[in-house]
Amino acid sequence: MKRLIKFMLVWLAAASLGLAAGGAQAADVLLGPGDVVKATVYGSPDLAVETRVSERGTLTFPLLGEVQVGGLSTQQAEKKIGGLLEKGGYLKKAQVNLLITTLASQQVSVLGQVNKPGRYPVDGPRKVLDLLALAGGIGPEGGDMVTLVRNRSGQTTRETLDVVDMVRKGELNRDYEVAGGDIIFVERAPKAYITGEVQRPGPFRIERAMTVQQAVSAGGGLTIRGTQRGLQIARRDPSGGQRTIEAKADDLVQIDDVIIVPESWF
């Protein structure tokens, strides 16, 4: 069921990404350092140029020299360059077209337990699910919780999103919009451990509301010598110490629990 939910998550995100890409216009993208743009002027092929936006937010344009375009949309930059060409007396009516060939400034880092971690361009309105789809979805070791770190107007905020719960309930309005410079981090799935008389002792992934009985099943079930009588859990307390408690089959498993399955003496 968990794998099905995550498959649906990636499929849904990819579908929404495709729809958004179809509707996103170049005007949605703000130019910044590192972006490469191809500029053409209607009727003036000698003014065509491919240039990179500098760290100062400027690009070099024929006849004009450096033009400040950082923070402008492509549409705004087109109007600005056209206005400068007309004001300088170079053209009576300048129709400028800018095409971004490399989008380097508006990128989001997707890190942690995803299939293809890296930096991905944001070329229009995008949300967390869109970027997870670009990163190949949540990996097999990934958990349900995703952290989004955003910087807006000098203020850094941290948001946590339970993506599986959001998709399962169809509450996509809980998703967050992202922008260049944001960081998406997929947490590793929480784990606990089982030892003693089970078929597969060792670590296991904690599912939602997982009980001790389900943990025994995750360990492959009891051996022929195992018994559920006298189950124990070694659990860390808030101070960092560890205490051993008796466990019942319907007790909930917590992160880093060590479930001890005893040997039957009868």
Side-chain angles (χ1 to χ4, degrees):
M1 182 64 179
K2 177 75 67 173
R3 290 184 179 179
L4 177 61
I5 288 289
K6 290 191 175 180
F7 172 80
M8 291 174 60
L9 185 155
V10 174
W11 179 87
L12 182 61
S16 65
L17 183 62
L19 290 174
Q25 301 297 320
D28 297 322
V29 181
L30 300 183
L31 295 169
D35 293 343
V36 178
V37 296
K38 185 176 183 179
T40 56
V41 181
Y42 180 74
S44 301
D46 54 322
L47 296 181
V49 66
E50 188 167 18
T51 182
R52 184 183 301 272
V53 180
S54 72
E55 291 298 320
R56 301 188 305 277
T58 63
L59 57 75
T60 302
F61 198 87
L63 302 178
L64 300 178
E66 288 193 345
V67 180
Q68 185 70 40
V69 296
L72 300 181
S73 67
T74 52
Q75 191 175 69
Q76 291 170 330
E78 288 169 352
K79 290 181 178 179
K80 181 173 183 177
I81 294 171
L84 291 173
L85 288 171
E86 293 171 5
K87 186 177 180 179
Y90 302 111
L91 295 172
K92 289 185 177 180
K93 187 175 182 180
Q95 290 183 279
V96 179
N97 178 264
L98 295 182
L99 175 66
I100 299 176
T101 57
T102 301
L103 186 62
S105 64
Q106 302 297 315
Q107 293 192 339
V108 172
S109 297
V110 186
L111 307 173
Q113 300 302 313
V114 292
N115 288 310
K116 295 187 295 183
R119 300 182 70 205
Y120 293 90
V122 181
D123 55 355
R126 292 288 183 267
K127 293 192 174 184
V128 171
L129 284 184
D130 297 328
L131 271 297
L132 289 177
L134 287 175
I138 297 174
E141 294 296 316
D144 303 343
M145 306 306 295
V146 174
T147 299
L148 172 63
V149 180
R150 301 191 288 184
N151 192 306
R152 302 290 187 273
S153 302
Q155 297 292 322
T156 300
T157 60
R158 180 179 180 273
E159 311 290 350
T160 301
L161 181 64
D162 187 334
V163 291
V164 173
D165 182 69
M166 179 181 69
V167 173
R168 180 181 289 161
K169 294 179 179 178
E171 298 174 348
L172 300 185
N173 60 313
R174 289 162 50 189
D175 203 354
Y176 292 99
E177 285 198 8
V178 297
D182 288 354
I183 299 172
I184 296 172
F185 184 81
V186 178
E187 305 281 352
R188 186 180 295 275
K191 289 187 177 182
Y193 305 84
I194 191 164
T195 186
E197 296 300 326
V198 288
Q199 302 288 344
R200 295 192 302 271
F204 62 90
R205 178 193 181 107
I206 301 177
E207 304 294 349
R208 292 172 185 266
M210 192 175 198
T211 64
V212 170
Q213 177 68 58
Q214 291 170 325
V216 172
S217 296
L222 300 174
T223 66
I224 58 174
R225 297 187 303 273
T227 177
Q228 291 196 41
R229 295 178 181 177
L231 287 171
Q232 293 182 316
I233 297 177
R235 177 171 292 167
R236 293 193 180 279
D237 56 34
S239 65
Q242 192 174 68
R243 58 193 177 95
T244 301
I245 59 176
E246 293 186 1
K248 298 178 182 178
D250 58 354
D251 285 346
L252 295 181
V253 179
Q254 297 183 17
I255 297 174
D256 291 332
D257 275 355
V258 179
I259 300 170
I260 305 166
V261 180
E263 180 180 356
S264 174
W265 295 99
F266 302 98

